[in-house]
Amino acid sequence: MIDFSHVSQQYGERIVLSDITLHIKRGEFFVLVGPSGSGKTTLLKMLNRLITPTAGSILRNGVAIDTINLRQLRLETGYVLQQIALFPNLTVAENIELIPEMKGWDAKRRKKASDTLLQKVGLAPSKYRHRYPSELSGGEQQRIGILRAIITKPELLLMDEPFSALDPISRRQLQDLTKSLQKELGMTLVFVTHDMKEAMRLADRICVINQGKIVQVDSPQAIKEAPKNAFVAQLFETED
């Protein structure tokens, strides 16, 4: 589904990504891990053209993403951040239904879709759809952020450390929820984290990045059993 071919990113003398070649399969839960400053978020942001590579190409379904209409590309790409980016002046329902409204869905269809999703994540529509973000807990706000990103069933969902600010119980619940929704909807999901426990729980495949370069890509178990070098082995020691 997604192919990076010799992609690099450089700001002046600072090299952020170096010669990244990578294939992400359709429908997989693909997790990027590595220390802060390793290039994970830069790579993620390239997928919805928030950042343009200095060199190389990125294909989505065989088409260069820089030739795809930008609005269309982003409408077909869900995006969830660590910073919960709900609009404070909009209700829960209005936040969830933003993209469907932009896509021209009528009010009845939007309401049915948002109510169905609210029920799916354990938030009763009658109780929550008219609330404002300030009336929600952090975990509830992040649930709404996820629903807003997936309501139109985008083929690609990007998540950048979405749960790192949450308490352990909320974090575990949202990990399970995200994995369940990803499988149910058949989305390709690219997920950034620095938490190896989270990566092991969620990933179909893990891509370890360090200093702008790919170190190893494989299933969680394969990497744990046969780390490519001492850096990868040390990362996985923190998972135990």
Side-chain angles (χ1 to χ4, degrees):
M1 165 155 178
I2 297 167
D3 290 282
F4 288 81
S5 180
H6 302 291
V7 169
S8 296
Q9 181 64 39
Q10 189 167 342
Y11 299 106
E13 296 298 311
R14 186 167 70 94
I15 297 172
V16 181
L17 290 174
S18 179
D19 197 30
I20 299 293
T21 295
L22 177 68
H23 175 68
I24 299 173
K25 303 171 188 175
R26 180 178 300 280
E28 78 171 330
F29 202 124
F30 191 85
V31 177
L32 301 166
V33 299
S36 295
S38 60
K40 307 183 299 295
T41 293
T42 297
L43 193 153
L44 187 83
K45 287 182 174 180
M46 287 178 173
L47 292 171
N48 62 355
R49 287 172 55 191
L50 286 172
I51 294 176
T52 302
T54 305
S57 64
I58 303 171
L59 304 182
R60 181 160 158 174
N61 299 322
V63 179
I65 66 168
D66 59 359
T67 67
I68 302 172
N69 176 272
L70 183 59
R71 183 176 186 274
Q72 189 62 34
L73 178 76
R74 290 181 179 166
L75 284 175
E76 294 301 327
T77 306
Y79 193 29
V80 182
L81 302 168
Q82 175 185 343
Q83 300 79 19
I84 303 165
L86 300 180
F87 291 97
N89 59 322
L90 299 182
T91 65
V92 163
E94 289 168 339
N95 267 284
I96 296 172
E97 295 172 19
L98 272 175
I99 294 176
E101 187 172 7
M102 291 171 68
K103 285 191 162 191
W105 291 20
D106 62 51
K108 184 178 179 181
R109 183 183 179 192
R110 296 198 305 268
K111 183 178 185 300
K112 181 179 180 182
S114 61
D115 283 357
T116 297
L117 287 175
L118 283 167
Q119 289 172 333
K120 197 178 291 289
V121 301
L123 302 176
S126 60
K127 185 178 177 183
Y128 281 92
R129 64 177 290 109
H130 300 297
R131 289 189 180 183
Y132 287 87
S134 61
E135 301 174 88
L136 306 177
S137 70
E140 288 170 342
Q141 288 185 41
Q142 200 61 301
R143 276 177 163 78
I144 302 308
I146 293 169
L147 298 188
R148 184 175 63 185
I150 68 170
I151 186 170
T152 60
K153 300 181 181 179
E155 64 174 7
L156 177 64
L157 178 60
L158 310 177
M159 303 186 82
D160 191 358
E161 303 215 28
F163 312 138
S164 59
L166 300 177
D167 64 86
I169 293 175
S170 295
R171 183 172 190 149
R172 182 73 174 244
Q173 289 173 341
L174 285 176
Q175 288 170 353
D176 292 343
L177 170 66
T178 299
K179 185 74 173 179
S180 173
L181 289 172
Q182 183 261 341
K183 285 187 174 298
E184 180 181 336
L185 299 175
M187 292 181 296
T188 304
L189 201 161
V190 182
F191 188 103
V192 166
T193 185
H194 64 271
D195 183 328
M196 291 308 303
K197 289 182 180 179
E198 186 165 70
M200 290 290 289
R201 288 195 76 232
L202 294 175
D204 294 321
R205 284 193 301 154
I206 293 174
C207 174
V208 181
I209 301 179
N210 190 34
Q211 297 180 336
K213 296 182 179 180
I214 292 176
V215 182
Q216 188 170 2
V217 182
D218 213 327
S219 69
Q221 199 59 35
I223 295 179
K224 188 171 185 178
E225 290 174 357
K228 187 171 183 179
N229 58 24
F231 169 77
V232 179
Q234 187 175 19
L235 270 184
F236 276 79
E237 284 174 9
T238 66
E239 188 272 332
D240 292 322

